[in-house]
Amino acid sequence: MRIKYNRDKIEELLKDFSILTRISVTFADIDTNPICSFQNTDDFCNAYQKICANKEYCMKSDKRLLERCRQSGNYEYHICHAGLYDAAMPIVKLGTTVGYIMVGRIKTNIKRKDAKYDFEGELGILYEQISVFNSMQISCLKNLLSNILFSNAIELENTNIAENIRDYIEENINSDLTAS
């Protein structure tokens, strides 16, 4: 099976989703390589990373989360060192994992003991602008992303020669035969 991504459609969906929810979102292929993303709450993260010099740590943390999701085949989440919720989930089509979606930079009632939550000044203002989701909203988010959002943006194509031959025969069984 070959996976065909409609990158323009995926990017459009990610952008619409991010604008609507104010959540950052990334779509990755089956090897967890990012295909496209829309970062709607990066103002806080960019400012936080400058102050704490943690950009590389954040990127590695996201990569580890995506890899955990790939290995488990299930929804995975963590609370980052700034106290924000990040999640990754497989996108499954016709029983085949076709990619992974990662959402993040969400405030929830789930807390991490070593995370800082009392940001001051501009950083505090940016932190307050981040979307807050309760557990029911996160569950709905998970359902929408894994089951609906990408249904028309990803296609599975047969690459098995036997399947291709069978498909050709089925499509042309009622056609006239010619010897050309």
Side-chain angles (χ1 to χ4, degrees):
M1 232 12 111
R2 193 178 82 144
I3 302 168
K4 184 177 177 185
Y5 301 107
N6 181 333
R7 291 175 189 262
D8 291 338
K9 185 68 173 172
I10 292 171
E11 185 148 329
E12 177 186 349
L13 290 168
L14 293 183
K15 181 179 178 185
D16 289 349
F17 173 83
S18 187
I19 290 170
L20 183 65
T21 62
R22 295 179 53 218
I23 295 174
S24 293
V25 60
T26 299
F27 184 85
D29 66 17
I30 58 170
D31 296 318
T32 69
N33 300 312
I35 290 179
C36 56
S37 65
F38 197 85
Q39 310 301 319
N40 203 28
T41 55
D42 271 357
D43 291 341
F44 169 80
C45 290
N46 287 336
Y48 183 78
Q49 290 167 357
K50 284 178 189 173
I51 292 169
C52 300
N54 280 329
K55 184 170 186 159
E56 188 174 315
Y57 179 81
C58 292
M59 291 171 63
K60 286 180 181 177
S61 176
D62 288 348
K63 196 162 187 71
R64 281 192 306 271
L65 176 62
L66 206 48
E67 184 57 28
R68 259 191 17 235
C69 176
R70 188 188 68 74
Q71 289 178 356
S72 73
N74 295 311
Y75 178 87
E76 298 284 343
Y77 79 93
H78 71 216
I79 305 300
C80 77
H81 54 282
L84 300 176
Y85 182 95
D86 294 319
M89 65 200 81
I91 302 299
V92 178
K93 187 168 185 169
L94 302 174
T96 300
T97 298
V98 295
Y100 300 91
I101 190 79
M102 189 161 149
V103 295
R105 300 169 182 101
I106 303 168
K107 289 190 293 189
T108 70
N109 58 355
I110 303 169
K111 301 297 179 197
R112 182 173 151 167
K113 293 177 185 175
D114 63 340
K116 181 180 178 186
Y117 301 105
D118 56 341
F119 301 104
E120 298 175 356
E122 182 183 342
L123 198 57
I125 293 168
L126 294 172
Y127 185 77
E128 289 306 313
Q129 293 173 357
I130 298 172
S131 299
V132 178
F133 279 64
N134 63 35
S135 60
M136 178 62 87
Q137 288 170 306
I138 289 173
S139 179
C140 292
L141 177 72
K142 184 174 139 181
N143 185 43
L144 288 171
L145 287 171
S146 61
N147 294 308
I148 297 171
L149 192 61
F150 296 100
S151 62
N152 294 323
I154 302 168
E155 293 180 33
L156 293 174
E157 295 179 341
N158 289 335
T159 55
N160 181 322
I161 189 128
E163 290 177 7
N164 289 342
I165 291 170
R166 185 198 67 223
D167 290 348
Y168 179 82
I169 291 170
E170 287 176 1
E171 289 173 17
N172 296 290
I173 193 75
N174 294 326
S175 299
D176 292 335
L177 291 176
T178 60
S180 50

